[in-house]
Amino acid sequence: MPDQQTNPWSPQDALVAMMVAVSVADQDIKTIELLSIERIVNHLPIFVDFDTAKLSMVSNAVFDILTEEDGLEALFGLVKTALPERLYETAYALCCDVSAADGRLREEELRFLQEARYELNISRLSTAAIERGARARHMSL
């Protein structure tokens, strides 16, 4: 359990927060994005011990943070505090999967991803590979 004084979120909370944040970036949370978050949490090994009841708590915290001035900066601060650096690419990959879930990337989502790349200090080569993988996973006929 994270130390509530210095770090209110676990690494899994931080990953969920990033997925929720990219989903709300365009001010329109789509059902398919929420289902994508739920599917990711229910199936990926990183979430094996995550209490899914915390999904709504983390989501509400993200909504509250993003309504504040400098909310995005505060969100990234919390995420970077909670998340080991080795999982920064994982966070970015999950954001890409959620944003690609509806088959369209909106300008606001692209801006959020750009900011995430910068804040998490992920190389352009790595982000290109992650983005290409998300695109391949979410292709439709």
Side-chain angles (χ1 to χ4, degrees):
M1 192 67 169
D3 177 358
Q4 294 297 315
Q5 295 288 354
T6 59
N7 190 0
W9 285 347
S10 70
Q12 291 94 342
D13 294 339
L15 293 172
V16 168
M18 288 292 288
M19 291 188 289
V20 170
V22 77
S23 178
V24 302
D26 62 359
Q27 307 297 315
D28 182 25
I29 306 169
K30 289 161 211 61
T31 301
I32 195 161
E33 291 172 337
L34 294 175
L35 291 172
S36 179
I37 293 169
E38 184 179 341
R39 179 185 47 79
I40 288 167
V41 168
N42 286 331
H43 291 96
L44 289 186
I46 194 121
F47 293 107
V48 72
D49 61 352
F50 181 72
D51 178 4
T52 56
K54 289 179 72 180
L55 274 170
S56 64
M57 186 243 356
V58 174
S59 297
N60 288 332
V62 170
F63 300 148
D64 290 343
I65 290 167
L66 293 178
T67 61
E68 299 293 323
E69 186 174 332
D70 298 323
L72 192 56
E73 184 179 320
L75 175 75
F76 284 124
L78 285 167
V79 167
K80 290 190 292 187
T81 299
L83 207 55
E85 193 172 327
R86 66 183 179 81
L87 295 178
Y88 285 5
E89 288 181 353
T90 301
Y92 188 75
L94 297 179
C95 286
C96 287
D97 280 344
V98 170
S99 63
D102 66 354
R104 254 184 96 198
L105 286 176
R106 285 157 184 77
E107 189 171 324
E108 298 87 355
E109 292 168 324
L110 292 170
R111 277 196 302 267
F112 178 87
L113 291 173
Q114 180 181 22
E115 187 70 22
R117 284 192 301 266
Y118 173 77
E119 289 290 333
L120 299 176
N121 197 29
I122 302 172
S123 76
R124 190 64 196 128
L125 184 60
S126 293
T127 58
I130 292 167
E131 291 162 1
R132 181 67 180 119
R135 182 175 159 227
R137 280 188 300 282
H138 293 278
M139 293 295 291
S140 60
L141 294 175

